């Protein structure tokens, strides 16, 4: 396609609403690139006030399909935590001879291929749709777990490595869930539904830590196969395609209207959602590269131009910043290296507490606070949770070196308690309260329709790539740098994150996708009122 330009949909490609036809007749300009007219103001107020509170019964279908889609993210948690169990159980099995190099590849391959899956899923879901895209992701993970079932002592390493590659690709492609949910879910329930993504990743990790107590690695893989198979069947039979994709990508207005009506059985809610969908369709810009062009440089130039167009550049840069800070704040490293960090803090896992118990407790803690975040985010918003999470992380992180200093210079009876470990657990709790969860959810909210598919894949790939390097070097930092210095540095980065959120990150609670997109174009005209 040609360079970045506004695009008006023909009359026959815009769904007519029963609210007020004049609102659509006069709404021919690109509403991302042109300030609202009086009619547009009236339409926006109608969309976000009169029809903004559907009952649970009215939104039940939306909530149910979002839960089905979110359940696919469970795969990311399963894949992330399965490698440690697999490696340990194979190590004690005399039939398998795993070297340290073999173990490192088994652990890291899924992390390396997850960014590839995230990058691929953008063009895939824009081309074939959200529903086929997530089915492809599930199929890749399903095949990976099937390969684990055929592992034998005579032929094991190639099968395990291929399974990890497919698992990483499938896990990365579940990014589609972050795009699908905002497109089908009303803004009243959107924070809760987006919060279930991180909650289910935590549930996947917790599920692995629990099942490893009772079953061996092969039976665990079989259980995961069944979970993914059931999820795929429910998606195929029950979950509809995104009406946003049907109208803006497939250009099928009748199908989009039919899907939207199924999702919104209440006529009033349907009309307001229909108006919002029309606005998204009219404001969609032509951002994809020209597939008919034989020149790769021209395609890349067009894509680059679109990424840095005004409506896309600001949310993209905001998300790059918050997700980069997220990776450097230490939330993921303390989860991955729980045992090593606790030992550095002075815990020897005595008195009946072993490594598995510590991992289980950490998994439970993260899951519980992920649930809390998902529930309260629909009442108090993203910004307060992110800032509170960052400040809590900073205080609990800085408290560790501060305690060691006080304990060294002013010892007391309170020193007998494991305060550093308590502060570390508080740190993990605060990470799950916002910083580790909400940035992923905001991908589907802040990015405009014209770059949502490609940019979401890029952001997730960037985050996982940074995560890989941070997790890779962290053991060396633990050996070379005092643990107090590491936690002090994490605390300072958390303070920086709180300031970043306060200055740059907008509030999305109760906002339609259209009003969020409009904010980034009109940001220079007037201050944003979150």
């Amino acid at each position: 396609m040609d360079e970045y330009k506004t695009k008006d949909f023909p009359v026959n490609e815009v769904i007519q609403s029963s609210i007020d036809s004049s609102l659509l007749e006069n709404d021919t300009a690109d509403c991302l690139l042109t300030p609202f007219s009086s009619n547009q103001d009236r339409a926006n107020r109608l969309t976000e006030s009169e029809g903004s509170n559907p009952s649970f019964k009215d939104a039940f279908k939306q909530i149910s399909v979002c839960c089905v889609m979110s359940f696919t993210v469970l795969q990311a948690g399963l894949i992330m935590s399965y490698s440690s169990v697999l490696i340990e159980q194979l190590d004690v099995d005399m039939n398998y001879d795993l070297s340290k190099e073999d173990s490192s590849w088994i652990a890291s391959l899924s992390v390396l291929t997850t960014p590839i899956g995230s990058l691929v899923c953008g063009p895939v879901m824009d081309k074939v749709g959200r529903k086929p895209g997530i089915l492809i992701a599930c199929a890749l993970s399903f095949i990976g777990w099937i390969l684990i079932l055929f592992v034998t002592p005579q032929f094991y390493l190639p099968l395990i490595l291929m399974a990890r590659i497919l698992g990483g690709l499938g896990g990365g492609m579940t990014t589609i869930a972050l795009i699908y949910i905002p497109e089908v879910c009303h803004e009243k329930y959107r924070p809760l539904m987006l919060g279930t993504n991180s909650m289910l990743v935590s549930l996947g990790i917790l599920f692995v830590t629990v099942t490893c107590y009772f079953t061996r690695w092969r039976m665990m893989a079989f259980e995961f196969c069944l979970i993914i198979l059931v999820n795929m069947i429910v998606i195929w039979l029950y979950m509809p395609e995104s009406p946003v994709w049907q109208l803006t990508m497939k250009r099928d207005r009748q199908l989009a209207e039919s899907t939207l009506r199924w999702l919104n059985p209440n006529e009033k809610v349907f009309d307001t959602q229909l108006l919002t969908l029309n606005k998204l369709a009219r404001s969609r810009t032509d951002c994809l590269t020209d597939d008919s062009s034989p020149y790769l440089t021209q395609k890349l130039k067009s894509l680059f131009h679109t990424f840095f167009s005004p409506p896309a550049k600001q949310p993209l840069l905001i998300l790059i910043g918050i997700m980069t800070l997220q990776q450097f704040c230490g939330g993921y490293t303390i989860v991955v290296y729980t045992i090593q960090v606790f030992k550095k803090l002075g815990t020897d896992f005595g008195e009946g507490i072993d490594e598995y118990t510590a991992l289980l407790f950490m998994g439970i803690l993260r899951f519980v606070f992920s649930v809390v975040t998902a529930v309260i985010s629909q009442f108090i918003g993203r910004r307060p949770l992110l800032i509170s999470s960052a400040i809590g992380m900073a205080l609990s992180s800085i408290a560790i070196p501060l305690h060691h200093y006080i304990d060294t210079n002013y010892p007391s009876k309170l020193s007998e308690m494991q305060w550093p470990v308590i502060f570390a657990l508080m740190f993990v709790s605060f990470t799950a309260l916002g910083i580790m969860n909400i940035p992923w959810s905001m991908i589907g909210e802040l990015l405009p329709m014209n770059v949502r598919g490609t940019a979401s894949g890029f952001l997730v790939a960037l985050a996982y790539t940074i995560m890989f390097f941070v997790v890779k070097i962290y053991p060396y930092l633990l050996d070379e740098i005092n643990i107090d210095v590491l936690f002090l540095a994490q605390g300072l980065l958390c303070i920086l994150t709180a300031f970043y959120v306060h200055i740059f990150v907008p509030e999305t609670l109760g906002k339609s996708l259209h009003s969020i997109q409009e904010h980034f174009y009109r940001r220079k005209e007037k201050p944003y009122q979150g």
Side-chain angles (χ1 to χ4, degrees):
M1 298 179 183
D2 298 331
E3 290 189 348
Y4 174 79
K5 59 183 181 182
T6 61
K7 182 175 181 64
D8 295 333
F9 274 64
V11 175
N12 64 347
E13 290 188 13
V14 177
I15 305 171
Q16 295 301 315
S17 170
S18 62
I19 299 177
D20 187 351
S21 59
S22 66
L23 297 180
L24 296 179
E25 290 170 0
N26 295 328
D27 187 18
T28 56
D30 186 328
C31 49
L32 281 179
L33 303 179
T34 306
F36 276 157
S37 64
S38 60
N39 274 344
Q40 288 171 319
D41 281 325
R42 185 157 56 94
N44 190 56
R45 289 195 300 271
L46 178 63
T47 299
E48 296 189 17
S49 60
E50 293 183 13
S52 62
N53 291 305
S55 65
F56 179 82
K57 180 180 178 181
D58 293 333
F60 177 76
K61 290 182 178 179
Q62 298 178 22
I63 294 172
S64 61
V65 298
C66 288
C67 288
V68 171
M69 173 61 91
S70 293
F71 201 77
T72 61
V73 185
L74 185 77
Q75 302 171 34
L78 299 177
I79 294 164
M80 186 186 305
S81 53
Y82 180 73
S83 59
S84 60
V85 177
L86 177 64
I87 292 171
E88 180 170 344
Q89 292 188 359
L90 289 181
D91 277 340
V92 299
D93 192 333
M94 299 302 296
N95 294 318
Y96 298 91
D97 184 21
L98 282 182
S99 65
K100 183 177 293 187
E101 184 72 14
D102 295 338
S103 298
S104 67
W105 278 112
I106 292 174
S108 62
L109 262 182
S110 62
V111 180
L112 288 173
T113 54
T114 295
I116 299 175
S118 302
L119 288 173
V120 168
C121 79
V124 169
M125 67 172 146
D126 283 346
K127 184 70 175 178
V128 304
R130 286 26 172 168
K131 181 176 179 177
I134 201 65
L135 286 172
I136 293 172
C138 292
L140 290 173
S141 297
F142 180 77
I143 296 172
W145 293 117
I146 288 291
L147 291 178
I148 295 291
L149 300 180
F150 290 95
V151 169
T152 64
Q154 293 75 30
F155 188 71
Y156 60 94
L157 190 59
L159 285 178
I160 294 176
L161 295 181
M162 181 56 66
R164 299 296 291 169
I165 290 173
L166 293 175
L169 291 173
M173 289 189 68
T174 58
T175 304
I176 296 173
L178 298 175
I179 304 304
Y180 178 86
I181 291 175
E183 292 181 350
V184 303
C185 191
H186 193 277
E187 51 263 25
K188 177 182 178 181
Y189 299 100
R190 189 177 65 219
L192 176 63
M193 292 296 99
L194 284 171
T196 59
N197 281 271
S198 296
M199 183 180 71
L200 283 163
V201 172
S202 300
L203 180 61
I205 296 172
L206 180 60
F207 186 69
V208 171
T209 58
V210 171
T211 53
C212 71
Y213 272 97
F214 310 104
T215 58
R216 298 283 296 170
W217 57 270
R218 196 187 305 272
M219 181 56 65
M220 291 173 65
F222 178 72
E223 293 169 357
F224 302 157
C225 281
L226 293 180
I227 292 173
I228 295 176
L229 181 60
V230 171
N231 194 199
M232 290 175 66
I233 293 173
V234 176
I235 290 173
W236 179 264
L237 296 178
Y238 180 69
M239 196 185 84
E241 182 54 83
S242 162
V244 175
W245 181 84
Q246 290 171 332
L247 182 60
T248 59
M249 297 293 185
K250 194 175 182 180
R251 305 293 184 88
D252 191 329
R253 64 186 182 88
Q254 292 182 344
L255 188 59
E257 181 177 5
S258 175
T259 302
L260 195 66
R261 189 175 293 279
W262 184 86
L263 290 167
N264 300 275
N266 183 292
E267 191 66 28
K268 184 178 180 180
V269 176
F270 166 75
D271 282 336
T272 56
Q273 293 299 98
L274 184 62
L275 186 58
T276 299
L277 180 60
N278 275 319
K279 285 179 171 291
L280 285 173
R282 290 182 184 278
S283 65
R284 177 179 178 266
T285 51
D286 205 351
C287 70
L288 301 177
T289 55
D290 186 359
D291 293 333
S292 62
S293 172
Y295 301 108
L296 178 62
T297 54
Q298 182 176 344
K299 296 180 181 181
L300 294 176
K301 181 180 178 181
S302 178
L303 181 63
F304 181 84
H305 184 79
T306 302
F307 264 53
F308 286 89
S309 59
K313 179 175 65 176
Q314 292 181 38
L316 188 61
L317 292 177
I318 288 173
L319 288 168
I320 288 174
I322 188 64
M323 299 199 78
T324 301
L325 288 170
Q326 176 199 53
Q327 300 304 319
F328 284 103
C329 280
Y332 288 100
T333 51
I334 196 172
V335 170
V336 174
Y337 297 104
T338 303
I339 298 172
Q340 292 87 341
V341 170
F342 277 18
K343 286 182 176 179
K344 285 286 186 177
L345 293 175
T347 303
D348 58 2
F349 296 106
E351 300 180 0
I353 302 178
D354 58 14
E355 291 83 351
Y356 279 115
T357 304
L359 290 172
L360 179 61
F361 186 72
M362 188 71 71
I364 293 173
L365 200 60
R366 181 179 174 183
F367 174 70
V368 169
F369 275 87
S370 296
V371 175
V372 171
T373 302
V375 173
I376 65 176
S377 63
Q378 64 176 341
F379 302 110
I380 66 175
R382 310 298 208 190
R383 282 167 52 87
L385 275 177
L386 283 170
I387 293 174
S388 300
S389 174
I391 293 175
M393 291 168 63
L395 293 176
S396 54
S397 186
I398 295 174
I400 292 175
L402 183 61
H403 170 267
H404 283 159
Y405 172 80
I406 295 175
D407 185 47
T408 301
N409 294 278
Y410 310 99
S412 65
K413 291 184 178 181
L414 291 176
S415 303
E416 298 175 2
M417 295 184 63
Q418 291 289 335
W419 285 109
V421 174
I422 294 173
F423 292 140
L425 292 176
M426 291 174 59
F427 179 82
V428 172
S429 302
F430 279 114
T431 63
L433 190 62
I435 292 297
M436 287 183 70
N437 302 345
I438 293 177
W440 303 98
S441 303
M442 297 188 77
I443 290 176
E445 293 182 309
L446 297 186
L447 292 175
M449 182 64 205
N450 61 329
V451 297
R452 190 173 295 161
T454 304
S456 63
F458 164 76
L459 286 168
V460 175
L462 174 68
Y464 271 101
T465 301
I466 297 174
M467 185 194 305
F468 171 76
F469 285 107
V470 171
V471 170
K472 190 73 173 175
I473 67 172
Y474 196 74
Y476 300 98
L477 296 179
L478 283 175
D479 291 337
E480 300 296 330
I481 302 177
N482 187 282
I483 190 69
D484 290 340
V485 176
L486 288 179
F487 272 97
L488 180 61
Q490 288 176 185
L492 296 177
L493 285 170
C494 292
I495 294 174
L496 176 62
T497 302
F499 278 107
Y500 181 89
V501 172
H502 177 72
I503 296 171
F504 296 109
V505 179
E507 183 57 75
T508 61
L509 180 66
K511 303 292 183 181
S512 68
L513 295 182
H514 171 74
S515 64
I516 294 172
Q517 292 182 20
E518 186 215 18
H519 152 65
F520 287 110
Y521 183 75
R522 302 182 68 186
R523 193 172 184 176
K524 294 182 180 180
E525 299 179 22
K526 61 180 182 179
Y528 178 70
Q529 303 297 325

